[in-house]
Amino acid sequence: MTCSEFVELVTAYLEGDLDPGTGARFIEHLALCEGCERYLDQFRATIDRLGSLPEESLSEPARGALLDAFRDWQAR
Amino acid sequence: MFARVLDAWSSSMLRLARSFVSTHASAEEVVQDTWLAVLKGLHGFEGRAAFRTWVYRILVSTAKKRGVREGRSLPWSSVAGPDDGPTVDPSRFRGPEDPYPGGWREFPPAWATPEEVALSTEIHTLLGEILDALPARQRAVLSLRDVSGHSAREVCELLEITPANQRVLLHRARAVVRERLAGYLASGVAHDVQ
């Protein structure tokens, strides 16, 4: 497996979607290649950063309007 | 009960809607219209699909329509285009004439550690800009998976895409974000920032 092949398989690896043969070649390459180890680490760090974005929320007026609509709906 | 579902789902719904429309305000209207449509149709909901899937599909169709009105072109169904080709610039790797074809010419530069990075709000702003620049399909998958934490299976159901397609879109989007973050976090640059 080359580095240029490795970088295209990172998500499939993280998802556990690689077939056993490809998975073994991926791990073997990872053990030998510092550059790809770093690429994988940075990929994981990227996913972590995305997961730490603050939650978004509806504005109070929008939320209030929806709660009112739900009350009306229940009252029907 | 309704308030609980509304609050628990709002963040993920807003982010998904935002993949198709141009502003946060617009995404908020999409979420509102979605819930109003849900309430209107709730008596007709037959429980054949999971409730969440049903709600999110209404959200996606509402957001797409609005996106088209806003003049955002949406190559949602096209397979070609930005979803093809290598996710890392081929010039980063050695060519076929090299003794190690396909190997890194230079390793990706190391990143600053989290403690060295000035402010997380700065990174959040940057991530917002990066997400804004992604094609709609990639943004939708990335937002649902990595930002909001939905499972691959859920995302396939909500967006009506195949597992293989889901993975390709997710991988492309992650690779783009990694590359943009690298521009900011690779040690040399981070020193300039500090």
Side-chain angles (χ1 to χ4, degrees):
Chain A
M1 183 176 295
T2 66
C3 303
S4 58
E5 289 163 353
F6 181 97
V7 297
E8 301 304 340
L9 296 175
V10 171
T11 291
Y13 167 72
L14 293 174
E15 304 269 277
D17 285 346
L18 291 180
D19 65 76
T22 311
R25 286 196 298 282
F26 185 92
I27 298 288
E28 189 184 41
H29 183 96
L30 180 63
L32 297 171
C33 179
E34 202 182 314
C36 286
E37 187 185 8
R38 186 177 281 168
Y39 189 85
L40 177 63
D41 284 348
Q42 293 178 350
F43 219 81
R44 284 203 173 102
T46 298
I47 296 165
D48 288 347
R49 295 245 181 218
L50 285 164
S52 68
L53 279 170
E55 296 258 300
E56 298 208 345
S57 53
L58 287 171
S59 65
E60 264 320 304
R63 186 174 176 276
L66 283 174
L67 292 177
D68 286 346
F70 182 67
R71 260 177 237 115
D72 291 348
W73 178 82
Q74 270 185 318
R76 276 195 317 191
Chain B
M1 202 283 279
F2 179 72
R4 273 228 310 276
V5 173
L6 183 65
D7 292 339
W9 293 8
S10 279
S11 183
S12 143
M13 289 176 76
L14 284 165
R15 289 190 182 281
L16 178 55
R18 186 65 180 77
S19 307
F20 303 95
V21 301
S22 5
T23 63
H24 178 84
S26 193
E28 188 161 282
E29 282 177 36
V30 168
V31 172
Q32 277 187 289
D33 290 350
T34 299
W35 281 116
L36 295 176
V38 165
L39 290 179
K40 216 169 155 188
L42 203 50
H43 289 301
F45 175 64
E46 288 168 4
R48 260 178 299 180
F51 181 61
R52 186 173 203 144
T53 306
W54 182 61
V55 172
Y56 274 55
R57 283 186 183 172
I58 295 174
L59 177 80
V60 169
S61 82
T62 308
K64 277 184 188 171
K65 274 182 218 143
R66 192 174 174 116
V68 170
R69 277 215 310 279
E70 289 177 353
R72 284 170 59 111
S73 67
L74 298 168
W76 183 255
S77 51
S78 82
V79 178
D83 301 335
D84 277 343
T87 59
V88 177
D89 182 353
S91 70
R92 304 283 301 276
F93 301 107
R94 296 163 189 271
E97 73 295 337
D98 192 279
Y100 302 102
W104 295 103
R105 284 184 197 281
E106 276 174 42
F107 290 167
W111 286 4
T113 56
E115 306 84 69
E116 289 170 326
V117 177
L119 282 170
S120 61
T121 51
E122 224 170 280
I123 294 273
H124 292 161
T125 308
L126 176 66
L127 284 173
E129 288 166 13
I130 300 170
L131 289 173
D132 282 349
L134 286 176
R137 284 152 48 96
Q138 290 181 30
R139 182 176 187 168
V141 172
L142 189 74
S143 297
L144 287 169
R145 287 295 310 277
D146 290 347
V147 185
S148 302
H150 293 277
S151 71
R153 207 174 138 178
E154 266 184 303
V155 172
C156 290
E157 264 176 38
L158 301 179
L159 299 178
E160 299 176 80
I161 54 178
T162 64
N165 204 206
Q166 191 267 162
R167 197 176 61 221
V168 168
L169 292 167
L170 180 62
H171 184 69
R172 301 203 74 79
R174 284 172 170 176
V176 169
V177 178
R178 193 217 68 92
E179 185 60 31
R180 290 284 314 274
L181 278 182
Y184 180 81
L185 292 171
S187 8
V189 182
H191 280 294
D192 293 342
V193 168
Q194 281 166 2

Short mmCIF file of all heavy atoms in Angstrom, two decimals, chain B residues 104-145:
data_model
loop_
_atom_site.label_atom_id
_atom_site.label_comp_id
_atom_site.label_asym_id
_atom_site.label_seq_id
_atom_site.Cartn_x
_atom_site.Cartn_y
_atom_site.Cartn_z
N TRP B 104 4.90 9.96 0.37
CA TRP B 104 4.93 11.41 0.64
C TRP B 104 6.24 12.00 0.13
O TRP B 104 7.30 11.45 0.38
CB TRP B 104 4.86 11.69 2.15
CG TRP B 104 3.59 11.30 2.84
CD1 TRP B 104 3.40 10.20 3.62
CD2 TRP B 104 2.35 12.00 2.84
NE1 TRP B 104 2.11 10.17 4.10
CE2 TRP B 104 1.44 11.27 3.63
CE3 TRP B 104 1.89 13.19 2.24
CZ2 TRP B 104 0.12 11.65 3.85
CZ3 TRP B 104 0.58 13.58 2.45
CH2 TRP B 104 -0.29 12.81 3.25
N ARG B 105 6.18 13.13 -0.56
CA ARG B 105 7.41 13.87 -0.86
C ARG B 105 7.94 14.46 0.44
O ARG B 105 9.13 14.38 0.75
CB ARG B 105 7.14 15.00 -1.85
CG ARG B 105 6.96 14.51 -3.27
CD ARG B 105 6.79 15.68 -4.23
NE ARG B 105 6.23 15.23 -5.50
CZ ARG B 105 6.93 14.63 -6.46
NH1 ARG B 105 8.24 14.46 -6.30
NH2 ARG B 105 6.36 14.22 -7.56
N GLU B 106 7.02 15.08 1.18
CA GLU B 106 7.34 15.56 2.53
C GLU B 106 6.18 15.16 3.43
O GLU B 106 5.02 15.28 3.00
CB GLU B 106 7.47 17.08 2.55
CG GLU B 106 8.82 17.59 2.13
CD GLU B 106 8.83 19.11 2.04
OE1 GLU B 106 8.25 19.77 2.93
OE2 GLU B 106 9.39 19.61 1.06
N PHE B 107 6.45 14.75 4.66
CA PHE B 107 5.37 14.39 5.57
C PHE B 107 4.49 15.61 5.83
O PHE B 107 4.99 16.75 5.80
CB PHE B 107 5.94 13.89 6.90
CG PHE B 107 6.61 12.55 6.81
CD1 PHE B 107 7.40 12.09 7.86
CD2 PHE B 107 6.44 11.73 5.69
CE1 PHE B 107 8.01 10.85 7.79
CE2 PHE B 107 7.05 10.48 5.62
CZ PHE B 107 7.84 10.04 6.67
N PRO B 108 3.22 15.38 6.12
CA PRO B 108 2.39 16.53 6.50
C PRO B 108 3.01 17.20 7.73
O PRO B 108 3.42 16.50 8.65
CB PRO B 108 1.04 15.90 6.86
CG PRO B 108 1.07 14.50 6.34
CD PRO B 108 2.51 14.10 6.21
N PRO B 109 3.15 18.52 7.74
CA PRO B 109 3.75 19.19 8.90
C PRO B 109 2.95 18.93 10.18
O PRO B 109 1.73 18.80 10.11
CB PRO B 109 3.70 20.68 8.55
CG PRO B 109 3.27 20.77 7.13
CD PRO B 109 2.69 19.47 6.72
N ALA B 110 3.66 18.84 11.31
CA ALA B 110 2.99 18.63 12.59
C ALA B 110 2.10 19.83 12.93
O ALA B 110 2.34 20.94 12.46
CB ALA B 110 4.03 18.42 13.69
N TRP B 111 1.07 19.58 13.73
CA TRP B 111 0.15 20.65 14.14
C TRP B 111 0.51 21.15 15.53
O TRP B 111 1.05 20.42 16.36
CB TRP B 111 -1.29 20.14 14.17
CG TRP B 111 -1.88 19.96 12.82
CD1 TRP B 111 -1.24 20.12 11.61
CD2 TRP B 111 -3.21 19.54 12.51
NE1 TRP B 111 -2.11 19.84 10.59
CE2 TRP B 111 -3.31 19.48 11.11
CE3 TRP B 111 -4.33 19.21 13.29
CZ2 TRP B 111 -4.49 19.11 10.46
CZ3 TRP B 111 -5.50 18.83 12.65
CH2 TRP B 111 -5.58 18.80 11.25
N ALA B 112 0.14 22.39 15.78
CA ALA B 112 0.27 22.94 17.12
C ALA B 112 -0.62 22.12 18.05
O ALA B 112 -1.67 21.64 17.64
CB ALA B 112 -0.19 24.39 17.13
N THR B 113 -0.18 21.92 19.29
CA THR B 113 -1.01 21.21 20.26
C THR B 113 -2.16 22.14 20.68
O THR B 113 -2.03 23.36 20.57
CB THR B 113 -0.20 20.82 21.50
OG1 THR B 113 0.38 22.01 22.05
CG2 THR B 113 0.91 19.85 21.15
N PRO B 114 -3.25 21.55 21.17
CA PRO B 114 -4.41 22.38 21.53
C PRO B 114 -4.04 23.55 22.46
O PRO B 114 -4.58 24.65 22.33
CB PRO B 114 -5.35 21.40 22.22
CG PRO B 114 -5.01 20.07 21.63
CD PRO B 114 -3.53 20.13 21.32
N GLU B 115 -3.09 23.32 23.38
CA GLU B 115 -2.73 24.39 24.33
C GLU B 115 -2.07 25.57 23.62
O GLU B 115 -2.13 26.69 24.09
CB GLU B 115 -1.76 23.88 25.41
CG GLU B 115 -2.23 22.65 26.19
CD GLU B 115 -1.91 21.36 25.45
OE1 GLU B 115 -0.72 21.03 25.35
OE2 GLU B 115 -2.85 20.70 24.97
N GLU B 116 -1.41 25.26 22.48
CA GLU B 116 -0.71 26.33 21.78
C GLU B 116 -1.63 27.17 20.90
O GLU B 116 -1.26 28.22 20.42
CB GLU B 116 0.41 25.73 20.89
CG GLU B 116 1.58 25.18 21.69
CD GLU B 116 2.53 24.39 20.81
OE1 GLU B 116 2.07 23.73 19.85
OE2 GLU B 116 3.74 24.43 21.08
N VAL B 117 -2.81 26.65 20.66
CA VAL B 117 -3.73 27.36 19.78
C VAL B 117 -4.42 28.46 20.56
O VAL B 117 -4.96 28.23 21.64
CB VAL B 117 -4.77 26.39 19.18
CG1 VAL B 117 -5.76 27.15 18.33
CG2 VAL B 117 -4.07 25.32 18.38
N ALA B 118 -4.35 29.65 19.99
CA ALA B 118 -4.83 30.84 20.69
C ALA B 118 -6.20 30.63 21.34
O ALA B 118 -6.32 30.49 22.54
CB ALA B 118 -4.86 32.02 19.73
N LEU B 119 -7.25 30.57 20.56
CA LEU B 119 -8.59 30.54 21.12
C LEU B 119 -9.44 29.53 20.38
O LEU B 119 -9.40 29.44 19.17
CB LEU B 119 -9.25 31.91 20.95
CG LEU B 119 -8.85 33.00 21.92
CD1 LEU B 119 -9.42 34.33 21.45
CD2 LEU B 119 -9.33 32.68 23.33
N SER B 120 -10.23 28.78 21.15
CA SER B 120 -11.09 27.81 20.47
C SER B 120 -12.15 28.54 19.64
O SER B 120 -12.60 28.02 18.62
CB SER B 120 -11.74 26.86 21.47
OG SER B 120 -12.53 27.58 22.36
N THR B 121 -12.52 29.76 20.07
CA THR B 121 -13.52 30.50 19.28
C THR B 121 -12.97 30.81 17.88
O THR B 121 -13.71 30.82 16.91
CB THR B 121 -13.91 31.83 19.95
OG1 THR B 121 -12.72 32.55 20.27
CG2 THR B 121 -14.72 31.61 21.19
N GLU B 122 -11.63 31.02 17.82
CA GLU B 122 -11.02 31.29 16.52
C GLU B 122 -11.16 30.06 15.62
O GLU B 122 -11.48 30.18 14.44
CB GLU B 122 -9.54 31.60 16.74
CG GLU B 122 -9.02 32.78 15.95
CD GLU B 122 -7.63 33.16 16.43
OE1 GLU B 122 -7.53 33.84 17.47
OE2 GLU B 122 -6.67 32.75 15.78
N ILE B 123 -10.91 28.89 16.19
CA ILE B 123 -11.05 27.64 15.44
C ILE B 123 -12.52 27.43 15.04
O ILE B 123 -12.81 27.00 13.93
CB ILE B 123 -10.58 26.44 16.30
CG1 ILE B 123 -9.09 26.55 16.57
CG2 ILE B 123 -10.92 25.12 15.63
CD1 ILE B 123 -8.22 25.94 15.51
N HIS B 124 -13.43 27.77 15.94
CA HIS B 124 -14.85 27.60 15.61
C HIS B 124 -15.26 28.48 14.44
O HIS B 124 -16.00 28.06 13.56
CB HIS B 124 -15.72 27.90 16.84
CG HIS B 124 -15.55 26.88 17.93
ND1 HIS B 124 -15.90 27.12 19.24
CD2 HIS B 124 -15.04 25.63 17.90
CE1 HIS B 124 -15.62 26.05 19.97
NE2 HIS B 124 -15.09 25.14 19.18
N THR B 125 -14.76 29.71 14.44
CA THR B 125 -15.05 30.62 13.33
C THR B 125 -14.48 30.05 12.03
O THR B 125 -15.16 30.03 11.00
CB THR B 125 -14.42 32.01 13.58
OG1 THR B 125 -14.85 32.44 14.87
CG2 THR B 125 -14.85 33.00 12.53
N LEU B 126 -13.24 29.56 12.12
CA LEU B 126 -12.60 28.99 10.94
C LEU B 126 -13.39 27.78 10.44
O LEU B 126 -13.66 27.65 9.24
CB LEU B 126 -11.16 28.58 11.29
CG LEU B 126 -10.37 27.87 10.19
CD1 LEU B 126 -10.13 28.82 9.02
CD2 LEU B 126 -9.04 27.35 10.72
N LEU B 127 -13.79 26.89 11.36
CA LEU B 127 -14.57 25.72 10.95
C LEU B 127 -15.88 26.14 10.29
O LEU B 127 -16.31 25.53 9.31
CB LEU B 127 -14.85 24.82 12.16
CG LEU B 127 -13.69 23.96 12.65
CD1 LEU B 127 -14.05 23.26 13.95
CD2 LEU B 127 -13.27 22.93 11.60
N GLY B 128 -16.49 27.20 10.81
CA GLY B 128 -17.71 27.71 10.20
C GLY B 128 -17.47 28.12 8.75
O GLY B 128 -18.26 27.79 7.86
N GLU B 129 -16.36 28.81 8.52
CA GLU B 129 -16.03 29.24 7.16
C GLU B 129 -15.77 28.04 6.26
O GLU B 129 -16.16 28.02 5.09
CB GLU B 129 -14.79 30.15 7.16
CG GLU B 129 -15.05 31.53 7.74
CD GLU B 129 -13.75 32.28 8.07
OE1 GLU B 129 -12.67 31.83 7.62
OE2 GLU B 129 -13.83 33.30 8.78
N ILE B 130 -15.08 27.04 6.81
CA ILE B 130 -14.77 25.86 6.01
C ILE B 130 -16.06 25.13 5.64
O ILE B 130 -16.25 24.72 4.50
CB ILE B 130 -13.81 24.92 6.78
CG1 ILE B 130 -12.49 25.63 7.11
CG2 ILE B 130 -13.53 23.66 5.97
CD1 ILE B 130 -11.58 24.85 8.06
N LEU B 131 -16.95 24.98 6.61
CA LEU B 131 -18.23 24.31 6.34
C LEU B 131 -19.01 25.07 5.27
O LEU B 131 -19.60 24.47 4.37
CB LEU B 131 -19.08 24.20 7.62
CG LEU B 131 -18.60 23.22 8.68
CD1 LEU B 131 -19.44 23.34 9.96
CD2 LEU B 131 -18.66 21.79 8.17
N ASP B 132 -19.00 26.40 5.36
CA ASP B 132 -19.73 27.23 4.38
C ASP B 132 -19.25 26.97 2.95
O ASP B 132 -20.00 27.13 2.01
CB ASP B 132 -19.55 28.72 4.69
CG ASP B 132 -20.45 29.17 5.83
OD1 ASP B 132 -21.33 28.39 6.23
OD2 ASP B 132 -20.27 30.31 6.31
N ALA B 133 -17.98 26.60 2.82
CA ALA B 133 -17.39 26.45 1.48
C ALA B 133 -17.60 25.04 0.91
O ALA B 133 -17.30 24.80 -0.25
CB ALA B 133 -15.91 26.80 1.53
N LEU B 134 -18.11 24.12 1.73
CA LEU B 134 -18.29 22.74 1.24
C LEU B 134 -19.51 22.62 0.34
O LEU B 134 -20.50 23.32 0.55
CB LEU B 134 -18.48 21.78 2.42
CG LEU B 134 -17.29 21.42 3.29
CD1 LEU B 134 -17.76 20.53 4.45
CD2 LEU B 134 -16.22 20.71 2.48
N PRO B 135 -19.44 21.72 -0.66
CA PRO B 135 -20.65 21.42 -1.44
C PRO B 135 -21.75 20.88 -0.51
O PRO B 135 -21.44 20.23 0.50
CB PRO B 135 -20.20 20.33 -2.41
CG PRO B 135 -18.70 20.37 -2.42
CD PRO B 135 -18.29 20.93 -1.09
N ALA B 136 -23.02 21.14 -0.86
CA ALA B 136 -24.15 20.83 0.02
C ALA B 136 -24.16 19.38 0.53
O ALA B 136 -24.35 19.13 1.71
CB ALA B 136 -25.46 21.14 -0.69
N ARG B 137 -23.95 18.43 -0.38
CA ARG B 137 -24.02 17.03 0.03
C ARG B 137 -22.96 16.70 1.07
O ARG B 137 -23.21 16.02 2.05
CB ARG B 137 -23.79 16.11 -1.19
CG ARG B 137 -24.97 16.00 -2.12
CD ARG B 137 -24.55 15.69 -3.56
NE ARG B 137 -23.58 14.61 -3.70
CZ ARG B 137 -23.92 13.34 -3.99
NH1 ARG B 137 -25.18 13.01 -4.13
NH2 ARG B 137 -23.00 12.43 -4.13
N GLN B 138 -21.74 17.17 0.82
CA GLN B 138 -20.64 16.91 1.77
C GLN B 138 -20.93 17.57 3.11
O GLN B 138 -20.71 16.99 4.17
CB GLN B 138 -19.32 17.42 1.21
CG GLN B 138 -18.80 16.62 0.04
CD GLN B 138 -17.47 17.14 -0.46
OE1 GLN B 138 -16.68 17.69 0.29
NE2 GLN B 138 -17.22 16.99 -1.75
N ARG B 139 -21.43 18.79 3.04
CA ARG B 139 -21.71 19.51 4.27
C ARG B 139 -22.81 18.82 5.07
O ARG B 139 -22.74 18.72 6.30
CB ARG B 139 -22.12 20.95 3.95
CG ARG B 139 -22.37 21.74 5.20
CD ARG B 139 -22.68 23.18 4.92
NE ARG B 139 -22.75 23.90 6.19
CZ ARG B 139 -22.79 25.21 6.29
NH1 ARG B 139 -22.73 25.95 5.22
NH2 ARG B 139 -22.85 25.78 7.47
N ALA B 140 -23.83 18.36 4.37
CA ALA B 140 -24.95 17.70 5.06
C ALA B 140 -24.46 16.45 5.79
O ALA B 140 -24.77 16.24 6.97
CB ALA B 140 -26.05 17.34 4.06
N VAL B 141 -23.67 15.63 5.10
CA VAL B 141 -23.18 14.39 5.71
C VAL B 141 -22.23 14.70 6.87
O VAL B 141 -22.34 14.14 7.97
CB VAL B 141 -22.49 13.49 4.67
CG1 VAL B 141 -21.81 12.30 5.34
CG2 VAL B 141 -23.51 12.99 3.65
N LEU B 142 -21.30 15.63 6.64
CA LEU B 142 -20.33 15.96 7.69
C LEU B 142 -21.02 16.55 8.92
O LEU B 142 -20.68 16.21 10.06
CB LEU B 142 -19.29 16.95 7.14
CG LEU B 142 -18.11 17.22 8.06
CD1 LEU B 142 -17.15 16.04 8.07
CD2 LEU B 142 -17.35 18.48 7.66
N SER B 143 -21.98 17.43 8.70
CA SER B 143 -22.70 18.05 9.82
C SER B 143 -23.42 16.99 10.63
O SER B 143 -23.37 17.00 11.87
CB SER B 143 -23.72 19.07 9.32
OG SER B 143 -23.08 20.12 8.65
N LEU B 144 -24.11 16.10 9.94
CA LEU B 144 -24.87 15.08 10.66
C LEU B 144 -23.94 14.12 11.39
O LEU B 144 -24.16 13.80 12.56
CB LEU B 144 -25.78 14.30 9.70
CG LEU B 144 -27.02 15.05 9.19
CD1 LEU B 144 -27.68 14.27 8.05
CD2 LEU B 144 -28.02 15.28 10.32
N ARG B 145 -22.90 13.65 10.72
CA ARG B 145 -22.01 12.66 11.32
C ARG B 145 -21.10 13.26 12.38
O ARG B 145 -21.16 12.88 13.55
CB ARG B 145 -21.15 11.99 10.24
CG ARG B 145 -21.87 11.00 9.34
CD ARG B 145 -22.39 9.77 10.08
NE ARG B 145 -21.41 9.12 10.93
CZ ARG B 145 -20.50 8.25 10.54
NH1 ARG B 145 -20.45 7.87 9.27
NH2 ARG B 145 -19.66 7.72 11.39
#
